[in-house]
Amino acid sequence: MIRAFAAGVASLLATLLVASVVIFAAMQVLPGDPAQVMLGVNARPDTLAALREQLGLDQPLAVRYWTWVSGLLTGNPGVSHTYAVPVSDLIAARLGVSLPLAALALALAVAIGLPLGMWAAARRGRAVDRGVLIVAQLGIAVPNFWLAMLLVLLFAVTLRWLPPGGFPGWDAGAGPALLALVLPAVALALPQSAILAQVMRQSLVDVLAQDFVRTARAKGLTRGQALRRHALRNAFIPILSVLGLQFPFLLAGTIIIENVFFLPGIGRLVFQAVNQRDLIVVQSVVMLLVAIVAVVNLLVGLAYAAVDPRVRRAA
Amino acid sequence: MTLLTVDNLEVDVAGRPILRGVGFTLTRGETLGIIGRSGSGKSMTALALMRLLPQDGQARGRIVFDGTDLLSLDEAAMCGIRGRRIGVVFQEPQSALNPLMTIGAQVAEGIRQHADVTRREAASLAAETLARAGLDPARVSPDRFPHELSGGQRQRVAIAMTVAMRPDIIIADEPTTALDVTTQARILDLLRTILRDDGPALLLISHDLGVVATMADRIAVMDEGRIVETGPTRGFAGRAHAPQVRTLIAAATLSREIAAPVPPLPEHTPAEHPPLLAAEAVSRRFGLPRAHPLAWRQYRRAVDQVSLSVQAGESVALIGESGSGKTTLASLMLGLQTPDAGRIAYRGQDIAGAGRDVLRRMRADVQAVFQDPYSSLDPRRKAGWIIAEPLHLAGPIAADERDERVAEALREVGLSPDDANKYPHAFSGGQRQRIAMARALVTRPRLVVLDEAVSSLDVVAQARILDLLARLRADHGLAYLFITHDLRVAKAIARRVAVMHDGRIVEEGMTAEVLTDPQHPYTRALLASQPDFSAFAA
Amino acid sequence: RTDLAIGVRLEPPHLDPTAAAAAVIGEITYANLFEGLTRIDREGRVIPGLAESWEVSDDGKVYTFRLRQGVFFHDGSTFDARDAVFTLERAIAPDSINPQKALLEPIEAVEAVDAHTLSVRLKRPTAQLPFILGLPALVIVGHETAETNRAMPNGTGPFRFSRWHMGDRVDLVRNDRYWGEKPALSRVTFRVIGDPSAAYAALMAGNIDAYTNFPAPEHLPQFEADPRFKVVVGRTEGKTVLAQNNARKPLDDIRVRRAIAHAIDRKLLIDGALYGYGDPIGSHFAPQNAGYVDLTGRYPYDPEAARALLREAGAEGLRLKLALPPPSYARRSGEIIAERLRDVGIQVDIVPMEWAQWLTDVFRDKNYDLSIVSHVEPNDLDIYARDDYYFNYDSPEYKALYAELAAEQDEEKRLVLLKSLQQKLTDDAVNGFLFLLPKLGVWDARLQGFWENAPIPANDLTGVRWER
Amino acid sequence: MNRDFLNARLLAGAIIVGGVCLMALISLVWTPYDPLKLDIANRFAPPGPRHWLGTDQLGRDVLSLLMRGAVGPVGVSISAVTIGLVVGATAGMLAASSGGVASYATLRTSDFLFAFPALLIAILLRETLGPGMLNAMVAIGIFYIPIFIRVSYGASLPVWRSGYVAAARVAGRGSLWIATVHVLPNIAGVLTVHTSVQLSLGVLAEASLSYIGLGVQPPQPSWGRMLLEAQTLLPISPLLAIAPGLAIMVTVMGFNLLGAGLRQALDPRGAFIPESEAVR
Ligand SMILES: Nc1ncnc2c1ncn2[C@@H]1O[C@H](COP(=O)(O)OP(=O)(O)OP(=O)(O)O)[C@@H](O)[C@H]1O
Ligand SMILES: Nc1ncnc2c1ncn2[C@@H]1O[C@H](COP(=O)(O)OP(=O)(O)OP(=O)(O)O)[C@@H](O)[C@H]1O
Ligand SMILES: [Mg+2]
Ligand SMILES: [Mg+2]
């Protein structure tokens, strides 16, 4: 367990180091001049040069890379070109939207998908099962941004139950803030929950067919007891890996959905920063996203170990 | 006093009839052995008794247990019967245990299901039962998980799980099939102890006549979903007349029947002629997982300083229990793994440094039949293709000549040349083994390494394969390195045996000598574990 | 009600109009947070701002501004001539990053005559100066707080900065120490909603009270039909042109450019891209400005004439790249123009790009054939007189005419010159002149006081109030 | 779950996928109207005999747009999956064969690639290469590589350790022979199933990219971009948003059904390869 953790962390750090080089290099090949973007069409060359100097863009690559990476380590990768505030503040504020959104979506997906999958598995082969399978097929196929569109039309424009988008900020109170996240989270969660339901059903059906479930029944456990005490935990193992896989999708989905609902999250930030060539922000956000995915992967690995003694003891 | 009466039990699964008119009785404290070939419906009978048939299964008839017809009970009442009154030890302890639960918890679960005890009481009762089943808490703690146990230990857990609830009937479905002889003997001992201490009735299911003969008071033989013969064990063989039963009996006593004479070795001494294939003090170790990151890496020596040679025309048996390193040694000798120390010599030449053509000659000369016949056949290739795969070793070959050689090989192993166009899944287990054999023979090798070539087959198929091997040896002067855990088989085929234990060869010598007068205690234990047929045959 | 939620399309990069060109900074801050010495009103006229009045010396080279007294910055410090000097000197300094620095080039020196008098000395007469000083980029900043304005704007305007929820909105509150008439609104929220359908939903759902420039013309009929809303379509200064690289073959041939001009169907364009809102233009000049001549009839839509001109120029089978920046007017017009050009035999490859790329590829490197963009600066005929501008238009006659205009103080003569400048551009078919970008105002019918037109990108909220 | 239902899935999937691919191909040479032809006077025409699905905001025929719009999603999805399959499956298979350093390096690289959200790759590519189908293909393709590495590694590991590979070695065959003759055919089933599942994801991914302007570029129509444009028109002409959305859904479902059907049909045990494995 400790060893697995240590190995995981080591490979995580290696991943992040390589990622930082790749990302930094990618920024250098982005065409477009940050200064020009900021100052617009009437700017004169000397004005642009002055700005570039102010932004530190005239320094050698290695110096800029080092400044950035060492800044990352201390938690302050630099100052945004356009906003002129520390990148860390900028990101922290945006995470305040993106993380709750992703978490809410994940929670919703789990809360909808898993019970649905269990229900279908418990009644496998019957009408319920087929119904769930068909609904899941539909759910998987729906583009989330399209769903978002329809949701806005229905719940915000027509029924006016929920705000059509935007984010009032947490200081406006948790109520309005959460309300603003409901539609985006639903749009994100529904397709994911369809996947989860499908995986849950299949995994549970597989487990229920295994001998140890029969053994449990032979001990006198009822169907429900066997399902709860023996099948669920085993069925959860594939779910874990699916959750790990879904996370990057969710993240990508968040970026798109934030644009549909004009939520001031990480996704909007990165889009905007790319358009304005706020390189320091772009590279820091990308780095952050890569780190999040890598950390989630590590956590999934550890969760595996927590759930499955075969992995735990072998590691 | 009759405890259980099964009357005209019919089971359909997905509309297909599986059991047809099964009927038998079981009295208190009695042991009934059910034998029959694979697929004859033994396990299905057990499941029907427990009312745990597959989802699309349906049972008709009567199963009267202690005065009530189980088929008429509702699910809740049945839950009270299962485990508490009728317990079952399922086939394959590997999959019958929940991999995510400690063994102690799995035993305790059944106890708590039927008795009003605290968690702690159940746990201590479970530990006690495990100890009774031969899992000393000091060595095998109840906190272990199933994957941390050997096959035999898992079987003990499965038995403990059932015994803990002290049921009136224990159904044991193939409790020893996956185990080697010594472990098998110990498990059977355990069952005897439980019968003596708790006195339940036992329904012992096995395809192995030997096992049933040593345990059961009465025997029932199943075939194709019916019971074709029942009677007391004593003198069963003499009384049986159903033809299916006769073949079973014939096969079970095969050691006498196929003891074809082992041909004498051509005159030469190992010094003048280097042996065909030899392992010289080879070792092979596998790294064990570290206990914690800073711990030294521990190794397990799967093969430890082993020397073994096979002369041309000689047949050598390598026996030993599961995990003793037989397969590892074989794959070292085949050059599939490289030894950590020592060398493998083909006609006196180290294969590690040998050139291409030497290896090529060795490949043509030394062929192998692997432990599991099915998994050694590529499921996506037809039998003919599979058999022809090594033919390239003798250089390019024309298509019709190739087909001819394949047909010949097929005929040799007793299959028809038409079988070349079938896929492996279309063959039975015994036939698959023959295909593997045909592939090994098609290059006209000098030596065939056979790893447990017959262990996974039922007795009838075993006998046929052994016959074939004897004939081939006679016809082509083939040498065998025959790996097995079954002494009868070793006796039938080999001139010389080597006994392997814990990665070392503990005893080696002429078959007759070793098996009649074993020197090493392990060999003696091995011999003592052989099932005893005397009561049954008399 | 005294609160107002107003929608803007783009997120401001920051809130300092003197340090970036983004129009949205002005839309939020101009006349609300920050004020200039002069001020541009809803009709585009120059009116007094922080300067009560000003005089020009006879040679037109010295401007003297009399500054208002009793003006406080939001942080409590007083405004005086030092701040004005500081602001202007900062804008013209060598390390200045003021986006309008180019326009200040004629300024030679700035000095404070006394605490409330400022004099600006010019290298040559520049009649435009009061107008320039009224632009958003030249608002007066406090000398202690100039560097923190990006995140904490500190100006003299009728509203104070309250809070910026980055990515979502900017909150302003009434400045109770404002020197002028206090605004009717006590709280103003600028919400950033760029997506047209989101904007539509937000207005419909009542989350936003007003959009002074609604992003989706297709929705206007629905708002018009809804009594809750008032729709006011006004004019901006956005002269939308099909920019052409005049130095590139075959666009250096006037016949080709004229052929393209003939292939532009302005009516179709305005209908298709703007749903009928917007005025056609025939030159680089907005119809609402004094001196405008209607030149839209100069090259009527005539595919036959276009084909003939192309034949004459030997430019058949032409293939051109059309670079399109992100705004939807550009993307939509691009598709329509491309289709029309195909119709007269010019294959057009559309290359959509982000602003960053447009600025480097098209604007800076002039590596393009055609592009569509709206020039929103008012009075910007000078761009055609510049040497290095991306149209690559190089006409000595035009430059001479423009120099004359720059030096001319007499209003009558200026109008005549303006007309000939427009005429010249159209004659040379420098660009395809398409339409004037409309300002699509949609707001709650109970609101009044918004600007109808947008002479500069600004939302002056001083006069906005809810109907009682 | 009976077999008929499953076979129905295979059939339905094949019909849908075949139909969409055919439609995309046909649209390259023929559509009811020129999908680029504007007719602004006739915009927002409701569905009728002349325009079966009506016209869009520029008077283009929606049916023709839908047909041509299939080219992007289908083309991008197929090429991206091909990239992922060729690079990823090969790498995964070889990594499983060698063990040791090469295998470790491959798996680490795969994890590394996996950590890069595809969307970011697409954004960065757009900025460097310019937007368009090509970079959508590459971005999605890069995203697929680690997925296929994992799949083919996982599937081929047991094959490399199987008895028949050992038998082939005893028969004197080299690694290349074994990889192509034994391993590849034996993982082909798993790869096929994954391919069809990933194709469905590819259609969704292309739609998302086009939707945010990173995919197929105007004037060429694509479903994602049609949705983007229709989004603002939702209250005016809902059909414009509903038609491409449904087209995406049906296509994605087609690939999914095909995958589910294939999984069932290809599994020699006649049972399911668990869905979970297919996602993994
Ligand atoms: N779940 C199932 N569904 C359908 N048929 C089954 C199922 N399980 C077993 N069968 C069939 O029922 C028959 C009897 O099987 P059963 O498992 O009882 O045989 P067995 O005698 O126990 O054989 P073995 O010695 O191999 O364990 C076989 O033909 C088998 O194919
Ligand atoms: N690749 C491997 N990695 C780690 N340990 C291994 C490996 N192969 C074999 N072992 C271990 O080496 C020991 C000997 O294994 P081997 O397969 O040679 O036994 P065997 O005598 O053939 O047993 P059986 O009769 O069950 O086939 C066992 O403990 C096994 O767990
Ligand atoms: Mg059985
Ligand atoms: Mg073995």
Side-chain angles (χ1 to χ4, degrees), chain B residues 42-43 91 173-174:
Chain B
K42 307 183 295 291
S43 299
Q91 205 167 349
D173 190 357
E174 311 270 14

Side-chain angles (χ1 to χ4, degrees), chain C residues 195-197 200 216 218-219 222 268 270-273 275-276 331-332 335-336 339-340 342-343 350-354 356-357, chain D residues 36-41 43-44 57-58 60 126-131 211 217-219 225 228-229 231-236:
Chain C
D195 186 69
S197 53
Y200 171 79
E218 57 269 37
H219 287 311
Q222 285 165 289
L268 183 80
I270 292 171
D271 277 352
Y275 290 76
R331 296 278 163 99
R332 290 177 180 180
E335 272 191 68
I336 297 170
E339 200 251 7
R340 286 291 106 147
R342 251 193 301 276
D343 190 45
I350 294 180
V351 187
M353 39 181 74
E354 290 303 319
Q357 199 186 353
Chain D
L36 308 183
K37 181 74 193 162
L38 311 182
D39 180 8
I40 288 176
R43 68 165 120 195
F44 298 125
Q57 69 278 11
L58 293 178
R60 295 171 293 200
R126 189 250 333 242
E127 298 298 326
T128 39
L129 305 180
Y211 177 76
Q217 292 301 321
R225 217 164 42 74
L228 173 67
E229 284 164 8
Q231 190 178 3
T232 67
L233 305 167
L234 208 50
I236 301 166

Side-chain angles (χ1 to χ4, degrees), chain B residues 81 137 175 200 207 268 277 390 459 491 496 525 532:
Chain B
I81 303 268
H207 67 255
H268 57 66
L277 191 63
V459 275
K491 212 190 282 181
R496 205 149 57 83
D532 174 17

Side-chain angles (χ1 to χ4, degrees), chain B residues 90-283:
Chain B
F90 283 113
Q91 205 167 349
E92 298 190 37
Q94 171 83 38
S95 55
L97 300 180
N98 184 344
L100 305 189
M101 230 170 155
T102 63
I103 56 175
Q106 297 193 53
V107 176
E109 187 181 35
I111 300 173
R112 273 172 62 81
Q113 188 71 19
H114 295 290
D116 190 19
V117 293
T118 64
R119 193 175 290 276
R120 179 176 300 220
E121 283 162 359
S124 74
L125 207 59
E128 221 172 87
T129 317
L130 281 168
R132 206 148 76 86
L135 296 174
D136 179 8
R139 291 186 50 229
V140 182
S141 137
D143 289 337
R144 289 223 201 161
F145 287 95
H147 72 277
E148 296 168 317
L149 305 181
S150 73
Q153 288 170 328
R154 277 188 218 130
Q155 191 61 275
R156 285 171 194 274
V157 175
I159 291 172
M161 235 157 55
T162 308
V163 170
M165 291 170 274
R166 297 190 183 269
D168 303 317
I169 300 179
I170 294 178
I171 303 172
D173 190 357
E174 311 270 14
T176 60
T177 307
L179 307 175
D180 60 82
V181 272
T182 40
T183 320
Q184 166 172 318
R186 276 177 248 144
I187 293 287
L188 293 179
D189 266 346
L190 169 64
L191 284 176
R192 280 192 204 100
T193 321
I194 289 163
L195 290 178
R196 195 188 60 224
D197 296 351
D198 297 2
L202 175 66
L203 197 63
L204 179 66
I205 295 175
S206 176
H207 67 255
D208 189 337
L209 257 180
V211 169
V212 171
T214 57
M215 295 285 297
D217 304 315
R218 284 190 306 132
I219 293 180
V221 181
M222 282 193 85
D223 193 60
E224 310 219 325
R226 296 175 199 282
I227 297 214
V228 291
E229 190 94 44
T230 30
T233 308
R234 183 158 291 280
F236 185 81
R239 264 180 286 116
H241 34 255
Q244 303 95 326
V245 184
R246 292 242 60 92
T247 32
L248 268 176
I249 293 168
T253 47
L254 85 177
S255 53
R256 261 164 289 160
E257 272 151 52
I258 58 160
V262 177
L265 210 55
E267 285 300 313
H268 57 66
T269 59
E272 289 159 1
H273 289 273
L276 195 54
L277 191 63
E280 296 170 9
V282 291
S283 298

Side-chain angles (χ1 to χ4, degrees), chain B residues 339 342-355 358:
Chain B
R343 59 173 217 153
I344 303 294
Y346 163 67
R347 293 185 193 276
Q349 214 171 349
D350 187 352
I351 62 167
V358 176

Side-chain angles (χ1 to χ4, degrees), chain A residues 2-3 211-212 214-215 217-222 225 229-230 233-234 307-310 312-314, chain B residues 47 52 75 79 82-83 88 90 95-101 106 109 113-114 145 147-148 161 290:
Chain A
I2 299 168
R3 186 177 144 78
D211 289 350
F212 64 81
R214 199 175 58 190
T215 308
R217 300 284 319 279
K219 281 191 243 178
L221 270 66
T222 64
Q225 285 172 328
R229 295 196 206 151
H230 293 267
R233 230 165 101 95
N234 279 280
V307 171
D308 191 340
R310 286 165 296 190
R312 178 161 69 230
R313 303 268 164 117
Chain B
L47 291 176
L52 287 175
E75 183 58 31
C79 285
R82 289 192 200 115
V88 58
F90 283 113
S95 55
L97 300 180
N98 184 344
L100 305 189
M101 230 170 155
Q106 297 193 53
E109 187 181 35
Q113 188 71 19
H114 295 290
F145 287 95
H147 72 277
E148 296 168 317
M161 235 157 55
R290 276 182 249 236

